[in-house]
Amino acid sequence: MAWRLPPLAVLLLLVAAAVAPLSSAVRPVSDAHRSVAAELFAASPDDALCSLETTYEAVRTFKMLGVQRDKGLDGKACKLAAHTLSSSSSPAKDLFQAVQIAGVLGCSVDAGVYDDVASRLKAVIKDTDSLLEFYYSVGGLLSLKEQGHSVVLSDADSTFHAIKALSQSDGRWRYDTNSAESSTFAAGIALEALAGVVSLSDAEVDPSMIGVVKNDIVKLFGTIKSYDDGTFYFDEKYVDGSEYKGPITTSASVVRGVTSFANVVSGKLNIPGEKILGLAKFFLGIGLPGSAKDCFNQIESLSLLENNRIFVPLILSLPSKVLSLTSKDQLKVEVTTVFGSAAPPLRVNLVQVLGSDSKIITTDSKELQFDLDNNVHYLDITPLKIDVGKYSLVFEITLQDSEHETVYTTGGRNTESVVVTGLIKVDKAEIGISENDAGSAESVEKLDLLKDTKVSLSANHLQKLRLSFQLSTPLGRTFKPHQVFLKLKHESKVEHLFVVPGSARQFKIVLDFLGLVEKFYYLSGTYDLELSVGDASMENSFLRALGQLELDLPEAPEKAPRPPAQAVDPLAKFRPQKEIEHIFRVPEKRPLQEVSLAFTGLTLLPFIGFLIGLMRLGVNLKNFPSLPGPAAFASLFHAGIAAVLLLYVLFWVKLDLFTTLKYLSFLGVFLVFVGHRTLSHLSNTTAKQKTA
């Protein structure tokens, strides 16, 4: 069958699809997370400071990641927190977040303000039956205590019982006594609130109630969900627009609650280590979050899992999931905590290698060597006798010190996917034109597909084009790449793409032109031949021009299909255009230079006549005003007349008619004014002389 997709584009898509699953590998927190956190929380700092919740999440995340903060923003955050703490109308939620901000940033807050806040939060605890009110009030008091203030919850037992009364038989919690449904997210904040009550109590909380809550936690973890790769997460039991939080927020709430409770009670919680490790994989599997809320939940959860009293998860990761047989790459494995800290002494064994079809390749256990300087375990893959392709590697981690088994969890066996690449051998490549189905060839030419060799063939509609070659792996096994395409491109830019099928060790395609005349639109002429072979594990994938084929097809009948319209290159309009040659009118003949000069001289005759007339009239300055005021107006009047004459000259030399009229209008008004004053003075002078 013929396709019309560009073979290079198909090659890139298939390679990307093969490698894409490897790009979502679980890796510890890195500088990439720090960069994303700084970008997400700094996207709109002015808006962020309008919300106590967003401000707290920002400063808390930066502190956990060790990101340098803007001192100016710290000052604004402290002012926001101080204003909230001093306001008598601030609810418990705002007080809780303001105290948290002050604690993270070390803001200077008056002790009297904190005493007032503690009293208000204790009053809320006495009067409420809301789980959220308990959570914010207890959390605020605990934050005050952690900042060095003396805070004691005298009625801790009754508060503990009031919170516990909202629990359900499945380990979930209700938000208040009126709630009909239970919530996993609520269970997390309830456990965190109970942990705060235990920390604030001035006496030991009822041990039996502690035991009941521990049992509730076991039930809660019985509802945890999982993926096939060992990832665990929590989600809400039902979906409701006002209650549903999503897996990230819900899992983060449970992690906060469980780790907080485990840190304040004696003994260990009965939670399997693989579930703690699965939660860590879930948050690391998020990769780089896309929102500030998800970023905060991810980083805080991983920070709590980094140091908790249940189990500290150890993450096995591969710095590189692509191994080259050509470069003799070593298999390298890192085992660290979720934040990349070094793990305790341990052994890593490769216990099984599975092929892409889950077929067992080897079960011989190989212990990886440990490079102390780089904190990495490594193994030479050459003795494994694995060929190019995609494999699943099964590792087993064993802690060397048995005492660490109660502190860390490795999850037993860990499976990681890798792609092994290498150079593929291409040989026995032939191309030719045959006359019949038996395959007797009129012309057969050898090809070296790894070099730039081109052929020149010719055929008609009664002949067939044959192309064959073999591919083998570095270990001599048959290799079947993801794609093998043969493209024929007509001189009119019409393209035809064919899949080259493979059987046994050989790839072979036969194009019967008699059956393809309609697909070729009866287009005779020159066709460029191009072969593309590509695979994610093939280091020498190629897109090779094979040469040209001169094809002679019969004339197209009247109702034959027409070639499709070729796409217009959108960049064509930006390329150099064809030069346009203009034909100008032949200039008219002009008079001689002497005639032009004589005409210019004639234009000066009126001015000469004007001067002669002034002389014949006996013009003089006897009547020029002698007083300063009239003399000034008379001078301006004559200057205005001179300006008009100059404007006429400029009109002749440079200015256009409209510009000249514009200037003349201003000069005309000016001359009317000063001329009137001058003539009025002369008229008065003449009248006085006649009277005298």
Side-chain angles (χ1 to χ4, degrees):
M1 98 180 261
W3 295 354
R4 296 187 181 90
L5 292 175
L8 182 58
V10 178
L11 171 63
L12 295 176
L13 287 174
L14 289 175
V15 172
V19 182
L22 303 180
S23 61
S24 59
V26 174
R27 295 284 294 162
V29 175
S30 63
D31 289 338
H33 291 83
R34 296 177 177 87
S35 298
V36 168
E39 180 179 348
L40 291 175
F41 285 107
S44 54
D46 295 335
D47 294 338
L49 288 177
C50 295
S51 168
L52 281 167
E53 182 177 3
T54 306
T55 303
Y56 165 66
E57 291 174 355
V59 297
R60 170 79 171 143
T61 303
F62 290 162
K63 181 177 181 181
M64 291 183 292
L65 291 175
V67 176
Q68 186 67 30
R69 302 185 301 270
D70 187 349
K71 297 299 183 181
L73 292 179
D74 284 0
K76 293 180 181 179
C78 283
K79 288 182 180 179
L80 179 63
H83 174 73
T84 304
L85 293 173
S86 60
S87 175
S88 59
S89 61
S90 298
K93 179 180 179 180
D94 290 352
L95 294 176
F96 163 73
Q97 292 168 347
V99 171
Q100 295 275 24
I101 293 172
V104 173
L105 298 180
C107 302
S108 178
V109 180
D110 186 71
V113 174
Y114 274 152
D115 292 339
D116 179 64
V117 169
S119 300
R120 290 158 60 188
L121 293 177
K122 289 179 181 179
V124 172
I125 293 174
K126 290 181 179 180
D127 298 334
T128 188
D129 62 351
S130 168
L131 178 60
L132 290 175
E133 294 292 331
F134 279 123
Y135 171 73
Y136 294 131
S137 301
V138 172
L141 292 174
L142 181 61
S143 182
L144 289 175
K145 182 178 179 179
E146 291 174 348
Q147 295 179 44
H149 296 272
S150 177
V151 180
V152 176
L153 194 61
S154 57
D155 53 349
D157 274 337
S158 62
T159 304
F160 195 98
H161 282 79
I163 299 174
K164 180 63 182 71
L166 299 174
S167 66
Q168 300 293 288
S169 59
D170 58 357
R172 296 182 174 92
W173 248 262
R174 293 178 298 161
Y175 285 102
D176 53 51
T177 54
N178 297 324
S179 299
E181 296 287 346
S182 57
S183 167
T184 304
F185 176 82
I189 64 176
L191 292 173
E192 192 174 356
L194 291 175
V197 171
V198 174
S199 300
L200 294 171
S201 176
D202 57 350
E204 184 181 4
V205 178
D206 187 358
S208 62
M209 292 302 298
I210 298 293
V212 172
V213 175
K214 287 183 177 180
N215 188 47
D216 289 342
I217 293 175
V218 174
K219 294 179 182 179
L220 181 63
F221 270 80
T223 65
I224 198 170
K225 299 180 180 181
S226 65
Y227 294 114
D228 294 337
D229 60 354
T231 298
F232 287 86
Y233 67 97
F234 286 95
D235 203 356
E236 289 290 8
K237 183 178 180 180
Y238 65 96
V239 177
D240 180 78
S242 60
E243 297 291 342
Y244 185 67
K245 301 295 184 180
I248 297 178
T249 302
T250 304
S251 300
S253 175
V254 174
V255 168
R256 280 193 294 267
V258 171
T259 54
S260 299
F261 193 79
N263 289 338
V264 298
V265 299
S266 60
K268 288 182 69 70
L269 299 182
N270 187 21
I271 301 176
E274 59 267 18
K275 292 187 177 180
I276 298 297
L277 179 62
L279 284 169
K281 288 183 176 180
F282 171 74
F283 286 107
L284 290 175
I286 297 172
L288 302 179
S291 68
K293 174 66 72 174
D294 288 347
C295 180
F296 168 72
N297 285 325
Q298 178 195 43
I299 300 303
E300 186 180 47
S301 299
L302 292 174
S303 176
L304 294 172
L305 292 174
E306 175 82 0
N307 184 19
N308 71 89
R309 290 187 56 203
I310 309 171
F311 286 106
V312 176
L314 296 178
I315 303 298
L316 182 144
S317 60
L318 276 60
S320 174
K321 290 203 167 190
V322 179
L323 306 176
S324 172
L325 294 177
T326 307
S327 304
K328 296 182 180 180
D329 292 343
Q330 290 181 328
L331 172 62
K332 295 182 179 181
V333 174
E334 294 178 349
V335 182
T336 63
T337 64
V338 293
F339 266 74
S341 300
L346 49 81
R347 295 185 181 89
V348 179
N349 292 297
L350 177 63
V351 296
Q352 197 174 55
V353 179
L354 304 176
S356 57
D357 55 355
S358 299
K359 180 181 179 181
I360 298 177
I361 306 300
T362 178
T363 56
D364 295 336
S365 180
K366 300 285 186 180
E367 182 177 352
L368 278 68
Q369 302 298 314
F370 182 63
D371 183 354
L372 182 61
D373 295 334
N374 298 312
N375 192 32
V376 65
H377 300 260
Y378 64 92
L379 178 68
D380 186 4
I381 63 174
T382 304
L384 299 179
K385 300 297 181 182
I386 58 176
D387 215 337
V388 297
K390 186 177 180 180
Y391 297 91
S392 295
L393 307 181
V394 182
F395 298 95
E396 189 174 64
I397 303 175
T398 306
L399 294 168
Q400 295 185 10
D401 192 342
S402 59
E403 294 182 357
H404 289 155
E405 295 179 358
T406 60
V407 180
Y408 299 93
T409 176
T410 61
R413 293 193 172 189
N414 295 265
T415 303
E416 295 287 339
S417 298
V418 298
V419 171
V420 180
T421 66
L423 294 175
I424 301 301
K425 184 180 180 182
V426 185
D427 55 6
K428 297 184 179 179
E430 296 180 345
I431 188 171
I433 304 297
S434 62
E435 298 287 348
N436 52 47
D437 294 334
S440 57
E442 179 182 276
S443 60
V444 176
E445 297 192 35
K446 301 290 184 180
L447 292 174
D448 187 349
L449 296 179
L450 298 181
K451 295 182 180 179
D452 190 13
T453 57
K454 295 184 179 181
V455 299
S456 180
L457 304 173
S458 61
N460 57 42
H461 66 287
L462 299 177
Q463 295 177 311
K464 300 177 181 180
L465 173 68
R466 297 178 180 271
L467 171 67
S468 62
F469 56 91
Q470 293 183 357
L471 300 175
S472 57
T473 66
L475 296 185
R477 300 169 185 167
T478 302
F479 180 72
K480 293 185 177 181
H482 289 151
Q483 67 146 16
V484 183
F485 293 130
L486 175 65
K487 184 177 76 171
L488 279 73
K489 183 176 181 180
H490 190 254
E491 55 193 14
S492 63
K493 308 300 181 182
V494 177
E495 298 181 356
H496 305 278
L497 196 64
F498 300 90
V499 177
V500 181
S503 60
R505 296 177 62 90
Q506 189 178 48
F507 287 85
K508 182 177 180 181
I509 186 172
V510 178
L511 297 183
D512 185 355
F513 296 121
L514 183 60
L516 295 173
V517 288
E518 286 194 3
K519 289 186 178 295
F520 279 68
Y521 306 109
Y522 295 90
L523 292 177
S524 300
T526 303
Y527 286 81
D528 293 326
L529 304 176
E530 192 174 75
L531 178 66
S532 58
V533 179
D535 190 274
S537 57
M538 182 177 178
E539 294 180 3
N540 54 336
S541 298
F542 58 85
L543 181 64
R544 185 74 63 205
L546 303 181
Q548 292 183 333
L549 169 66
E550 193 69 30
L551 187 58
D552 183 15
L553 298 179
E555 293 292 332
E558 293 184 2
K559 297 184 179 180
R562 298 295 180 184
Q566 299 301 305
V568 178
D569 186 0
L571 300 179
K573 61 182 179 180
F574 300 111
R575 293 172 182 163
Q577 303 298 312
K578 182 180 179 181
E579 183 179 356
I580 301 175
E581 296 182 358
H582 296 278
I583 301 177
F584 295 95
R585 185 177 62 181
V586 178
E588 297 180 358
K589 292 184 177 181
R590 297 182 178 182
L592 297 176
Q593 184 178 4
E594 292 78 5
V595 176
S596 299
L597 292 175
F599 179 78
T600 303
L602 290 175
T603 59
L604 297 176
L605 289 178
F607 180 69
I608 297 174
F610 172 71
L611 295 178
I612 294 173
L614 291 177
M615 295 174 62
R616 295 294 299 272
L617 291 174
V619 176
N620 56 69
L621 298 178
K622 293 180 179 180
N623 291 329
F624 196 86
S626 59
L627 296 176
F633 284 108
S635 300
L636 291 175
F637 177 70
H638 288 85
I641 294 176
V644 171
L645 295 175
L646 177 61
L647 182 62
Y648 288 159
V649 174
L650 292 175
F651 168 66
W652 183 266
V653 175
K654 180 178 181 182
L655 299 180
D656 57 77
L657 179 61
F658 294 102
T659 304
T660 304
L661 291 176
K662 180 176 67 174
Y663 292 149
L664 186 60
S665 63
F666 291 110
L667 287 174
V669 174
F670 174 75
L671 285 172
V672 169
F673 175 72
V674 297
H676 179 267
R677 296 296 298 269
T678 302
L679 293 176
S680 297
H681 173 74
L682 292 176
S683 177
N684 292 335
T685 303
T686 303
K688 289 179 180 179
Q689 289 176 353
K690 290 181 178 181
T691 304

